[in-house]
Amino acid sequence: SLSTALTIEAWVKPDTSCTGAQNVVIQESGYSIYCLSGVWRIRFKTSSGAAWTDYSTAFPVLSSQWQHIALSRTSGGLITFYVNGQSVYTVTNASAWNPSTEILGIGGYTGVTELFDGQIDDIKLWTSTRSANEIAVDMHTYGPILTNGSATPNLVAYYDFNEGSGTTVSNR
């Protein structure tokens, strides 16, 4: 479960400037990285059934351009949002983040109409808080990051979307 210290990274290429809400990564009853009204946003719930606590990064969505986005959260509740390896927004009071056990949705979620209009690639999910430097390096690294020949600890999922076709992606 990505509920305390975590980092989520993804390459995205929105087809539009996101006038309506579009989820990139969502865990219902937990958190969402999405775009709305032309900017990147993050939101989380403080308990199951609670309303979303929503934050606008004010960082513009660039339609038809690849961008690397990342959200990093400390176990103490500090959230940092990155675009192309640069910190663009910080939330200091996210300690009440709900530890959801819901499934992870990529580009949307069952029953949710806020589907991402564009392409998503290279999603990495970590059970640790990655530093700004690690995120900047990770964004240009294909595949699981290796340290002395072994996968980096705390990388719990890596989806490269290289299956070619179908509706299932493999965790590399």
PDB file of all heavy atoms in Angstrom, residues 23-50:
ATOM      1  N   ASN A  23      -7.536  12.220 -14.421  1.00  0.00           N
ATOM      2  CA  ASN A  23      -6.627  11.509 -13.513  1.00  0.00           C
ATOM      3  C   ASN A  23      -5.461  10.877 -14.261  1.00  0.00           C
ATOM      4  O   ASN A  23      -5.653  10.224 -15.279  1.00  0.00           O
ATOM      5  CB  ASN A  23      -7.382  10.395 -12.786  1.00  0.00           C
ATOM      6  CG  ASN A  23      -8.317  10.921 -11.740  1.00  0.00           C
ATOM      7  OD1 ASN A  23      -7.885  11.537 -10.785  1.00  0.00           O
ATOM      8  ND2 ASN A  23      -9.610  10.682 -11.925  1.00  0.00           N
ATOM      9  N   VAL A  24      -4.273  11.036 -13.716  1.00  0.00           N
ATOM     10  CA  VAL A  24      -3.104  10.311 -14.195  1.00  0.00           C
ATOM     11  C   VAL A  24      -2.956   9.050 -13.343  1.00  0.00           C
ATOM     12  O   VAL A  24      -2.906   7.939 -13.857  1.00  0.00           O
ATOM     13  CB  VAL A  24      -1.822  11.171 -14.134  1.00  0.00           C
ATOM     14  CG1 VAL A  24      -0.595  10.344 -14.484  1.00  0.00           C
ATOM     15  CG2 VAL A  24      -1.949  12.365 -15.057  1.00  0.00           C
ATOM     16  N   VAL A  25      -2.898   9.235 -12.022  1.00  0.00           N
ATOM     17  CA  VAL A  25      -2.844   8.121 -11.070  1.00  0.00           C
ATOM     18  C   VAL A  25      -3.847   8.424  -9.971  1.00  0.00           C
ATOM     19  O   VAL A  25      -3.887   9.536  -9.439  1.00  0.00           O
ATOM     20  CB  VAL A  25      -1.428   7.963 -10.468  1.00  0.00           C
ATOM     21  CG1 VAL A  25      -1.403   6.865  -9.418  1.00  0.00           C
ATOM     22  CG2 VAL A  25      -0.404   7.668 -11.560  1.00  0.00           C
ATOM     23  N   ILE A  26      -4.667   7.417  -9.632  1.00  0.00           N
ATOM     24  CA  ILE A  26      -5.672   7.614  -8.586  1.00  0.00           C
ATOM     25  C   ILE A  26      -5.812   6.343  -7.759  1.00  0.00           C
ATOM     26  O   ILE A  26      -5.793   5.240  -8.286  1.00  0.00           O
ATOM     27  CB  ILE A  26      -7.049   8.023  -9.177  1.00  0.00           C
ATOM     28  CG1 ILE A  26      -8.088   8.218  -8.060  1.00  0.00           C
ATOM     29  CG2 ILE A  26      -7.512   7.056 -10.235  1.00  0.00           C
ATOM     30  CD1 ILE A  26      -9.420   8.788  -8.519  1.00  0.00           C
ATOM     31  N   GLN A  27      -5.903   6.521  -6.462  1.00  0.00           N
ATOM     32  CA  GLN A  27      -6.281   5.449  -5.557  1.00  0.00           C
ATOM     33  C   GLN A  27      -7.518   5.965  -4.820  1.00  0.00           C
ATOM     34  O   GLN A  27      -7.408   6.827  -3.948  1.00  0.00           O
ATOM     35  CB  GLN A  27      -5.164   5.097  -4.581  1.00  0.00           C
ATOM     36  CG  GLN A  27      -5.485   3.860  -3.762  1.00  0.00           C
ATOM     37  CD  GLN A  27      -4.361   3.460  -2.837  1.00  0.00           C
ATOM     38  OE1 GLN A  27      -3.651   4.295  -2.289  1.00  0.00           O
ATOM     39  NE2 GLN A  27      -4.198   2.165  -2.665  1.00  0.00           N
ATOM     40  N   GLU A  28      -8.682   5.493  -5.250  1.00  0.00           N
ATOM     41  CA  GLU A  28      -9.942   5.974  -4.676  1.00  0.00           C
ATOM     42  C   GLU A  28      -9.897   5.850  -3.164  1.00  0.00           C
ATOM     43  O   GLU A  28      -9.367   4.882  -2.626  1.00  0.00           O
ATOM     44  CB  GLU A  28     -11.119   5.188  -5.251  1.00  0.00           C
ATOM     45  CG  GLU A  28     -12.471   5.701  -4.837  1.00  0.00           C
ATOM     46  CD  GLU A  28     -12.765   7.130  -5.270  1.00  0.00           C
ATOM     47  OE1 GLU A  28     -12.330   7.551  -6.356  1.00  0.00           O
ATOM     48  OE2 GLU A  28     -13.439   7.828  -4.506  1.00  0.00           O
ATOM     49  N   SER A  29     -10.428   6.824  -2.474  1.00  0.00           N
ATOM     50  CA  SER A  29     -10.392   6.943  -1.006  1.00  0.00           C
ATOM     51  C   SER A  29      -8.988   7.206  -0.490  1.00  0.00           C
ATOM     52  O   SER A  29      -8.732   7.130   0.703  1.00  0.00           O
ATOM     53  CB  SER A  29     -10.969   5.707  -0.311  1.00  0.00           C
ATOM     54  OG  SER A  29     -12.318   5.531  -0.642  1.00  0.00           O
ATOM     55  N   GLY A  30      -8.051   7.535  -1.389  1.00  0.00           N
ATOM     56  CA  GLY A  30      -6.684   7.815  -0.984  1.00  0.00           C
ATOM     57  C   GLY A  30      -6.152   9.105  -1.561  1.00  0.00           C
ATOM     58  O   GLY A  30      -6.162  10.135  -0.908  1.00  0.00           O
ATOM     59  N   TYR A  31      -5.702   9.055  -2.825  1.00  0.00           N
ATOM     60  CA  TYR A  31      -5.060  10.218  -3.433  1.00  0.00           C
ATOM     61  C   TYR A  31      -5.247  10.189  -4.941  1.00  0.00           C
ATOM     62  O   TYR A  31      -5.628   9.175  -5.526  1.00  0.00           O
ATOM     63  CB  TYR A  31      -3.572  10.254  -3.104  1.00  0.00           C
ATOM     64  CG  TYR A  31      -2.860   8.999  -3.549  1.00  0.00           C
ATOM     65  CD1 TYR A  31      -2.378   8.885  -4.834  1.00  0.00           C
ATOM     66  CD2 TYR A  31      -2.715   7.926  -2.687  1.00  0.00           C
ATOM     67  CE1 TYR A  31      -1.762   7.729  -5.260  1.00  0.00           C
ATOM     68  CE2 TYR A  31      -2.098   6.762  -3.098  1.00  0.00           C
ATOM     69  CZ  TYR A  31      -1.625   6.666  -4.394  1.00  0.00           C
ATOM     70  OH  TYR A  31      -1.034   5.509  -4.816  1.00  0.00           O
ATOM     71  N   SER A  32      -4.928  11.319  -5.567  1.00  0.00           N
ATOM     72  CA  SER A  32      -4.991  11.430  -7.016  1.00  0.00           C
ATOM     73  C   SER A  32      -3.998  12.484  -7.493  1.00  0.00           C
ATOM     74  O   SER A  32      -3.853  13.530  -6.870  1.00  0.00           O
ATOM     75  CB  SER A  32      -6.411  11.825  -7.443  1.00  0.00           C
ATOM     76  OG  SER A  32      -6.473  12.142  -8.811  1.00  0.00           O
ATOM     77  N   ILE A  33      -3.320  12.174  -8.586  1.00  0.00           N
ATOM     78  CA  ILE A  33      -2.525  13.158  -9.323  1.00  0.00           C
ATOM     79  C   ILE A  33      -3.306  13.379 -10.606  1.00  0.00           C
ATOM     80  O   ILE A  33      -3.585  12.429 -11.345  1.00  0.00           O
ATOM     81  CB  ILE A  33      -1.120  12.637  -9.645  1.00  0.00           C
ATOM     82  CG1 ILE A  33      -0.371  12.271  -8.366  1.00  0.00           C
ATOM     83  CG2 ILE A  33      -0.347  13.662 -10.470  1.00  0.00           C
ATOM     84  CD1 ILE A  33       0.940  11.556  -8.622  1.00  0.00           C
ATOM     85  N   TYR A  34      -3.679  14.622 -10.869  1.00  0.00           N
ATOM     86  CA  TYR A  34      -4.536  14.880 -12.019  1.00  0.00           C
ATOM     87  C   TYR A  34      -4.333  16.295 -12.528  1.00  0.00           C
ATOM     88  O   TYR A  34      -3.575  17.084 -11.948  1.00  0.00           O
ATOM     89  CB  TYR A  34      -6.000  14.615 -11.654  1.00  0.00           C
ATOM     90  CG  TYR A  34      -6.640  15.636 -10.736  1.00  0.00           C
ATOM     91  CD1 TYR A  34      -7.637  16.478 -11.210  1.00  0.00           C
ATOM     92  CD2 TYR A  34      -6.260  15.757  -9.403  1.00  0.00           C
ATOM     93  CE1 TYR A  34      -8.248  17.408 -10.382  1.00  0.00           C
ATOM     94  CE2 TYR A  34      -6.862  16.667  -8.570  1.00  0.00           C
ATOM     95  CZ  TYR A  34      -7.852  17.501  -9.063  1.00  0.00           C
ATOM     96  OH  TYR A  34      -8.440  18.432  -8.235  1.00  0.00           O
ATOM     97  N   CYS A  35      -5.016  16.612 -13.623  1.00  0.00           N
ATOM     98  CA  CYS A  35      -4.982  17.978 -14.137  1.00  0.00           C
ATOM     99  C   CYS A  35      -6.410  18.480 -14.275  1.00  0.00           C
ATOM    100  O   CYS A  35      -7.350  17.705 -14.465  1.00  0.00           O
ATOM    101  CB  CYS A  35      -4.229  18.052 -15.465  1.00  0.00           C
ATOM    102  SG  CYS A  35      -4.824  16.980 -16.769  1.00  0.00           S
ATOM    103  N   LEU A  36      -6.561  19.784 -14.143  1.00  0.00           N
ATOM    104  CA  LEU A  36      -7.859  20.448 -14.240  1.00  0.00           C
ATOM    105  C   LEU A  36      -7.610  21.928 -14.496  1.00  0.00           C
ATOM    106  O   LEU A  36      -6.694  22.516 -13.909  1.00  0.00           O
ATOM    107  CB  LEU A  36      -8.655  20.269 -12.941  1.00  0.00           C
ATOM    108  CG  LEU A  36      -9.968  21.049 -12.813  1.00  0.00           C
ATOM    109  CD1 LEU A  36     -10.998  20.558 -13.821  1.00  0.00           C
ATOM    110  CD2 LEU A  36     -10.513  20.918 -11.389  1.00  0.00           C
ATOM    111  N   SER A  37      -8.410  22.511 -15.350  1.00  0.00           N
ATOM    112  CA  SER A  37      -8.313  23.947 -15.661  1.00  0.00           C
ATOM    113  C   SER A  37      -6.906  24.351 -16.084  1.00  0.00           C
ATOM    114  O   SER A  37      -6.424  25.434 -15.742  1.00  0.00           O
ATOM    115  CB  SER A  37      -8.780  24.784 -14.470  1.00  0.00           C
ATOM    116  OG  SER A  37     -10.119  24.472 -14.147  1.00  0.00           O
ATOM    117  N   GLY A  38      -6.236  23.453 -16.807  1.00  0.00           N
ATOM    118  CA  GLY A  38      -4.938  23.784 -17.374  1.00  0.00           C
ATOM    119  C   GLY A  38      -3.750  23.693 -16.450  1.00  0.00           C
ATOM    120  O   GLY A  38      -2.652  24.097 -16.829  1.00  0.00           O
ATOM    121  N   VAL A  39      -3.930  23.173 -15.210  1.00  0.00           N
ATOM    122  CA  VAL A  39      -2.805  23.054 -14.278  1.00  0.00           C
ATOM    123  C   VAL A  39      -2.778  21.662 -13.643  1.00  0.00           C
ATOM    124  O   VAL A  39      -3.793  20.967 -13.578  1.00  0.00           O
ATOM    125  CB  VAL A  39      -2.839  24.124 -13.158  1.00  0.00           C
ATOM    126  CG1 VAL A  39      -2.707  25.523 -13.734  1.00  0.00           C
ATOM    127  CG2 VAL A  39      -4.093  24.001 -12.319  1.00  0.00           C
ATOM    128  N   TRP A  40      -1.605  21.268 -13.164  1.00  0.00           N
ATOM    129  CA  TRP A  40      -1.456  20.008 -12.435  1.00  0.00           C
ATOM    130  C   TRP A  40      -1.981  20.183 -11.027  1.00  0.00           C
ATOM    131  O   TRP A  40      -1.790  21.216 -10.405  1.00  0.00           O
ATOM    132  CB  TRP A  40       0.012  19.560 -12.418  1.00  0.00           C
ATOM    133  CG  TRP A  40       0.475  19.162 -13.779  1.00  0.00           C
ATOM    134  CD1 TRP A  40       1.349  19.849 -14.578  1.00  0.00           C
ATOM    135  CD2 TRP A  40       0.047  18.030 -14.518  1.00  0.00           C
ATOM    136  NE1 TRP A  40       1.496  19.200 -15.771  1.00  0.00           N
ATOM    137  CE2 TRP A  40       0.708  18.071 -15.764  1.00  0.00           C
ATOM    138  CE3 TRP A  40      -0.832  16.972 -14.262  1.00  0.00           C
ATOM    139  CZ2 TRP A  40       0.521  17.094 -16.741  1.00  0.00           C
ATOM    140  CZ3 TRP A  40      -1.011  16.008 -15.232  1.00  0.00           C
ATOM    141  CH2 TRP A  40      -0.337  16.071 -16.451  1.00  0.00           C
ATOM    142  N   ARG A  41      -2.638  19.132 -10.516  1.00  0.00           N
ATOM    143  CA  ARG A  41      -3.253  19.187  -9.196  1.00  0.00           C
ATOM    144  C   ARG A  41      -2.976  17.883  -8.452  1.00  0.00           C
ATOM    145  O   ARG A  41      -2.739  16.850  -9.062  1.00  0.00           O
ATOM    146  CB  ARG A  41      -4.756  19.401  -9.316  1.00  0.00           C
ATOM    147  CG  ARG A  41      -5.122  20.680 -10.061  1.00  0.00           C
ATOM    148  CD  ARG A  41      -6.618  20.854 -10.184  1.00  0.00           C
ATOM    149  NE  ARG A  41      -7.200  21.254  -8.912  1.00  0.00           N
ATOM    150  CZ  ARG A  41      -7.374  22.507  -8.524  1.00  0.00           C
ATOM    151  NH1 ARG A  41      -6.995  23.509  -9.290  1.00  0.00           N
ATOM    152  NH2 ARG A  41      -7.927  22.788  -7.369  1.00  0.00           N
ATOM    153  N   ILE A  42      -3.066  17.958  -7.129  1.00  0.00           N
ATOM    154  CA  ILE A  42      -3.002  16.772  -6.283  1.00  0.00           C
ATOM    155  C   ILE A  42      -4.152  16.847  -5.285  1.00  0.00           C
ATOM    156  O   ILE A  42      -4.614  17.940  -4.935  1.00  0.00           O
ATOM    157  CB  ILE A  42      -1.644  16.650  -5.542  1.00  0.00           C
ATOM    158  CG1 ILE A  42      -1.321  17.926  -4.779  1.00  0.00           C
ATOM    159  CG2 ILE A  42      -0.543  16.298  -6.502  1.00  0.00           C
ATOM    160  CD1 ILE A  42      -0.025  17.875  -4.010  1.00  0.00           C
ATOM    161  N   ARG A  43      -4.632  15.695  -4.900  1.00  0.00           N
ATOM    162  CA  ARG A  43      -5.699  15.670  -3.900  1.00  0.00           C
ATOM    163  C   ARG A  43      -5.581  14.371  -3.114  1.00  0.00           C
ATOM    164  O   ARG A  43      -5.029  13.378  -3.587  1.00  0.00           O
ATOM    165  CB  ARG A  43      -7.076  15.799  -4.553  1.00  0.00           C
ATOM    166  CG  ARG A  43      -7.414  14.723  -5.544  1.00  0.00           C
ATOM    167  CD  ARG A  43      -8.727  15.012  -6.242  1.00  0.00           C
ATOM    168  NE  ARG A  43      -8.914  14.119  -7.379  1.00  0.00           N
ATOM    169  CZ  ARG A  43      -9.896  14.203  -8.225  1.00  0.00           C
ATOM    170  NH1 ARG A  43     -10.826  15.135  -8.094  1.00  0.00           N
ATOM    171  NH2 ARG A  43      -9.997  13.353  -9.227  1.00  0.00           N
ATOM    172  N   PHE A  44      -6.108  14.420  -1.897  1.00  0.00           N
ATOM    173  CA  PHE A  44      -6.119  13.234  -1.058  1.00  0.00           C
ATOM    174  C   PHE A  44      -7.313  13.297  -0.129  1.00  0.00           C
ATOM    175  O   PHE A  44      -7.933  14.346   0.050  1.00  0.00           O
ATOM    176  CB  PHE A  44      -4.812  13.089  -0.269  1.00  0.00           C
ATOM    177  CG  PHE A  44      -4.517  14.227   0.672  1.00  0.00           C
ATOM    178  CD1 PHE A  44      -4.971  14.208   1.982  1.00  0.00           C
ATOM    179  CD2 PHE A  44      -3.772  15.315   0.240  1.00  0.00           C
ATOM    180  CE1 PHE A  44      -4.707  15.261   2.846  1.00  0.00           C
ATOM    181  CE2 PHE A  44      -3.492  16.366   1.102  1.00  0.00           C
ATOM    182  CZ  PHE A  44      -3.956  16.342   2.398  1.00  0.00           C
ATOM    183  N   LYS A  45      -7.654  12.151   0.434  1.00  0.00           N
ATOM    184  CA  LYS A  45      -8.754  12.073   1.394  1.00  0.00           C
ATOM    185  C   LYS A  45      -8.169  11.814   2.772  1.00  0.00           C
ATOM    186  O   LYS A  45      -7.137  11.152   2.913  1.00  0.00           O
ATOM    187  CB  LYS A  45      -9.736  10.970   1.011  1.00  0.00           C
ATOM    188  CG  LYS A  45     -10.501  11.302  -0.261  1.00  0.00           C
ATOM    189  CD  LYS A  45     -11.616  10.316  -0.523  1.00  0.00           C
ATOM    190  CE  LYS A  45     -12.402  10.751  -1.761  1.00  0.00           C
ATOM    191  NZ  LYS A  45     -13.552   9.880  -2.001  1.00  0.00           N
ATOM    192  N   THR A  46      -8.842  12.345   3.798  1.00  0.00           N
ATOM    193  CA  THR A  46      -8.373  12.163   5.171  1.00  0.00           C
ATOM    194  C   THR A  46      -8.983  10.926   5.817  1.00  0.00           C
ATOM    195  O   THR A  46      -8.490  10.463   6.839  1.00  0.00           O
ATOM    196  CB  THR A  46      -8.689  13.405   6.025  1.00  0.00           C
ATOM    197  OG1 THR A  46     -10.094  13.647   5.962  1.00  0.00           O
ATOM    198  CG2 THR A  46      -7.920  14.617   5.513  1.00  0.00           C
ATOM    199  N   SER A  47     -10.043  10.403   5.227  1.00  0.00           N
ATOM    200  CA  SER A  47     -10.654   9.151   5.687  1.00  0.00           C
ATOM    201  C   SER A  47     -11.533   8.614   4.570  1.00  0.00           C
ATOM    202  O   SER A  47     -11.897   9.352   3.650  1.00  0.00           O
ATOM    203  CB  SER A  47     -11.491   9.369   6.951  1.00  0.00           C
ATOM    204  OG  SER A  47     -12.584  10.206   6.675  1.00  0.00           O
ATOM    205  N   SER A  48     -11.868   7.340   4.640  1.00  0.00           N
ATOM    206  CA  SER A  48     -12.745   6.747   3.645  1.00  0.00           C
ATOM    207  C   SER A  48     -14.090   7.463   3.690  1.00  0.00           C
ATOM    208  O   SER A  48     -14.659   7.675   4.752  1.00  0.00           O
ATOM    209  CB  SER A  48     -12.925   5.260   3.932  1.00  0.00           C
ATOM    210  OG  SER A  48     -13.727   4.686   2.944  1.00  0.00           O
ATOM    211  N   GLY A  49     -14.584   7.883   2.546  1.00  0.00           N
ATOM    212  CA  GLY A  49     -15.862   8.592   2.486  1.00  0.00           C
ATOM    213  C   GLY A  49     -15.748  10.091   2.661  1.00  0.00           C
ATOM    214  O   GLY A  49     -16.724  10.819   2.472  1.00  0.00           O
ATOM    215  N   ALA A  50     -14.583  10.585   3.027  1.00  0.00           N
ATOM    216  CA  ALA A  50     -14.374  12.031   3.203  1.00  0.00           C
ATOM    217  C   ALA A  50     -14.298  12.712   1.836  1.00  0.00           C
ATOM    218  O   ALA A  50     -14.057  12.074   0.813  1.00  0.00           O
ATOM    219  CB  ALA A  50     -13.086  12.295   3.986  1.00  0.00           C
TER     220      ALA A  50
END
